[in-house]
Amino acid sequence: MADAFIIDACRTPRGIGKQGRGALAHLHPQRLASTVLKALAERNNLKTDEIDDVIWGTSSQKGQQGYDLGRMAALDAGYDTKASGVTLDRFCGSGITSVNMGAAQVMAGMEDLVVSGGTEMMSLTATMVDPTIPPVFDAGNKHLRSLHPQTQQGVCAADAIATLEGIDREAVDRLAVVSQERAARAMAEGRFDKSLVPVHNDDGTVALDREEFPRPGTSMDSLAELRTVFDQMAAAPFDEEGTTFGSMIYQKYPQLDGSINHVHHAGNSSGVVDGAACILLASESYAEKNGLTPRARIVAMANMGDCPTLMLNAPVPAAKKVLERAGLTTDDIDLWEINEAFSVVAEKFIRDLDLDREIVNVNGGAMALGHPIGATGSILIGTALDELERQNKQRALITMCAGGGMAPAIIIERV
């Protein structure tokens, strides 16, 4: 099997995902995605007619984010029409999956030059909601709902997992503070500068050139003032039959009925933001022939499914699976990136794998920086690569939970 190499990685800053507030919210998703695609081509002097495919991750493929965003963004970026594109959806895991699929094509010898990445403009989410369809994964399929009830993630997963695992609010708040502190340090020291590309308006003015979401003054005291939010949602009606969002999880976990300890709130959950990112992948022969210098090699990739009701627990088995596939142990990994969809996801990941907290999410995570769903995985891969180079380390493992109870994972190794 051939090797797949990462040549470069770039991303936009993350803008607040609210219409009228976020610096990127007025842009078209195709333009946000084309920003990183264009930068990647210019930074590496790419012959875009030789790009075999643009593999893009976008979770909410509706409205302006529909119609194969990867292909449309490549055209908007000025890529040659020979560069085809496809858009996929593995919910939050889309940005890792797009890279894994691109790497697999190169490793199989079927393609030589692939651009993988993702975009999500969460400022558009409200405009994509169909009021006639309940906002859950299996709302229209009662058979699936009876097998695997899947409700709002904060209710069915984050707070339920915290209760089952005995993880209290102090622990999840403490991790949120650490995320903010590390993100603030990373920005102050310019740790993101290598990958960050500014986003411009159509008139050429700068729309955003820095992270917009972080709240560097966050403390345990300030978080303690925030009210939990998913207890309110748990009691909300799900359908006309009287089912509540909370009661759906009790179908699978009756021991939780009336006993969920609600610990999550806006400060220890991932931020709602807009963003895009991409990774340039190449075969060894193509890189040598075209003067491209590999920065890292893809060591192993894996996908894992877990309980769809709890939904957020697959990263641990995914990490174990990808380590086994690579013939490595946790001691062989220098840096870890686990998406902070909710604080409990990262906290459980660290505890279950018995990891040194100093090498997990060293530059903060989604609680501080935000989580543009389809783009986050590609952002994390680029962040891990930059940090491996900064620290002169060797390997990183990147994984994240995804809707439906899944997690993709990838191990990269500096060349």
Side-chain angles (χ1 to χ4, degrees):
M1 184 180 296
D3 281 324
F5 292 97
I6 296 178
I7 306 300
D8 199 8
C10 65
R11 67 173 179 86
T12 68
R14 281 156 281 197
I16 293 172
K18 301 287 186 181
Q19 290 290 330
R21 286 186 56 199
L24 303 177
H26 64 288
L27 297 173
H28 197 289
Q30 294 170 4
R31 179 51 54 92
L32 192 63
S34 72
T35 296
V36 290
L37 288 171
K38 185 176 181 180
L40 195 72
E42 291 176 346
R43 284 158 56 124
N44 297 280
N45 195 27
L46 293 182
K47 304 170 186 175
T48 60
D49 63 325
E50 295 183 359
I51 294 174
D52 292 305
D53 210 1
V54 174
I55 304 177
W56 216 244
T58 303
S59 183
S60 296
Q61 295 182 35
K62 301 176 183 178
Q64 294 180 40
Q65 287 194 167
Y67 307 106
D68 194 352
L69 184 55
R71 170 63 170 175
M72 297 304 116
L75 295 175
D76 191 61
Y79 278 26
D80 192 282
T81 56
K82 293 180 181 178
S84 63
V86 64
T87 304
L88 58 87
D89 172 16
R90 199 195 291 276
F91 303 113
C92 298
S94 301
I96 291 180
T97 298
S98 66
V99 175
N100 286 357
M101 287 187 172
Q105 288 290 84
V106 173
M107 294 165 78
M110 295 294 101
E111 294 178 343
D112 286 304
L113 188 65
V114 176
V115 177
S116 294
T119 302
E120 204 81 42
M121 290 194 65
M122 299 183 75
S123 57
L124 293 175
T125 300
T127 68
M128 298 176 187
V129 174
D130 183 343
T132 66
I133 301 176
V136 288
F137 296 111
D138 61 346
N141 186 341
K142 290 189 176 182
H143 176 256
L144 175 57
R145 176 178 157 189
S146 67
L147 293 173
H148 301 292
Q150 300 168 73
T151 180
Q152 205 281 337
Q153 287 186 335
V155 176
C156 74
D159 286 345
I161 291 169
T163 303
L164 291 168
E165 297 291 330
I167 298 174
D168 60 19
R169 176 159 175 174
E170 181 182 359
V172 292
D173 279 1
R174 186 184 306 114
L175 195 62
V177 171
V178 169
S179 184
Q180 293 284 352
E181 291 173 346
R182 290 181 176 180
R185 180 184 63 192
M187 290 184 290
E189 296 179 1
R191 297 188 185 184
F192 299 144
D193 292 354
K194 188 170 186 176
S195 292
L196 207 63
V197 297
V199 181
H200 292 87
N201 297 308
D202 289 343
D203 64 4
T205 59
V206 174
L208 188 64
D209 60 2
R210 58 177 175 77
E211 298 291 348
E212 191 177 31
F213 187 79
R215 300 173 294 278
T218 300
S219 66
M220 290 294 287
D221 288 340
S222 66
L223 292 184
E225 295 176 359
L226 298 178
R227 292 178 57 188
T228 56
V229 295
F230 300 116
D231 43 346
Q232 303 166 45
M233 186 168 290
F238 166 76
D239 58 22
E240 296 179 353
E241 300 170 1
T243 305
T244 64
F245 281 88
S247 65
M248 293 182 69
I249 192 169
Y250 307 150
Q251 296 174 36
K252 279 281 188 177
Y253 298 91
Q255 69 271 35
L256 290 173
D257 191 354
S259 65
I260 292 181
N261 181 23
H262 294 282
V263 297
H264 286 90
H265 48 74
N268 58 28
S269 303
S270 55
V272 176
V273 295
D274 300 330
C278 60
I279 307 288
L280 179 61
L281 301 162
S283 65
E284 183 175 17
S285 60
Y286 187 90
E288 289 180 355
K289 180 180 178 180
N290 291 275
L292 299 174
T293 302
R295 295 174 60 190
R297 180 179 70 90
I298 308 297
V299 177
M301 305 168 291
N303 296 299
M304 178 61 75
D306 203 89
C307 174
T309 302
L310 289 179
M311 202 176 299
L312 308 179
N313 274 344
V316 170
K320 291 179 178 178
K321 182 177 181 180
V322 77
L323 285 168
E324 181 179 3
R325 198 162 270 179
L328 301 172
T329 70
T330 55
D331 292 335
D332 297 311
I333 303 301
D334 299 298
L335 295 172
W336 301 77
E337 288 287 339
I338 167 67
N339 186 42
E340 297 171 348
F342 298 92
S343 185
V344 73
V345 176
E347 182 66 25
K348 183 178 186 299
F349 188 82
I350 292 168
R351 294 185 186 193
D352 286 1
L353 295 175
D354 193 23
L355 301 179
D356 178 356
R357 291 177 181 270
E358 295 303 311
I359 61 173
V360 181
N361 295 357
V362 299
N363 292 321
M367 289 186 287
L369 296 158
H371 173 27
I373 296 174
T376 301
S378 299
I379 291 174
L380 296 183
I381 293 170
T383 298
L385 176 55
D386 287 347
E387 189 63 18
L388 284 175
E389 292 175 341
R390 192 188 72 82
Q391 293 193 31
N392 194 28
K393 300 292 186 180
Q394 186 178 13
R395 297 189 192 95
L397 189 154
I398 304 97
T399 187
M400 60 198 304
C401 57
M406 299 182 289
I410 183 172
I411 297 174
I412 64 173
E413 178 180 73
R414 281 183 62 210
V415 176

